[in-house]
């Protein structure tokens, strides 16, 4: 992980972005104190994620739709 000052990162941003494309991770610091992290995004999927691939493996039980117990509801702060 490479540490770099935020002001230096702003002046060298295009070159730093090329490094990110190669898998490098940057720790952006303000006055020597870490403030943020820059890392590359994961590659995009070539195909969309399939829908319904777990069909038939799990069933939502009827108890899922019942109201929560009163004590649980009272424990949460009002919205």
């Amino acid at each position: 992980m490479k540490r770099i000052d935020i002001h230096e990162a702003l002046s060298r941003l295009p070159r730093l972005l090329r490094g990110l494309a190669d898998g490098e991770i940057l720790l952006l610091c303000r006055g020597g104190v870490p403030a943020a992290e820059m890392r590359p995004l994961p590659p995009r999927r070539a195909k969309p994620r399939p829908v319904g691939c777990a069909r038939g493996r799990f069933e939502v039980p009827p108890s899922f739709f019942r109201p929560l117990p009163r004590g649980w509801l009272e424990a949460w702060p009002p919205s």
Side-chain angles (χ1 to χ4, degrees), residues 4-13 16 28-32:
I4 189 165
D5 188 72
I6 291 175
H7 297 291
E8 183 182 351
L10 288 172
S11 64
R12 297 177 36 202
L13 190 58
L16 293 172
L28 301 175
C29 299
R30 181 179 292 130

Side-chain angles (χ1 to χ4, degrees), residues 45-68:
R45 291 178 155 270
K47 297 179 183 177
R49 186 171 294 184
V51 177
C53 58
R55 184 174 287 146
R57 294 187 192 172
F58 176 77
E59 188 174 317
V60 178
S63 61
F64 178 82
F65 300 100
R66 290 190 198 128
L68 292 173

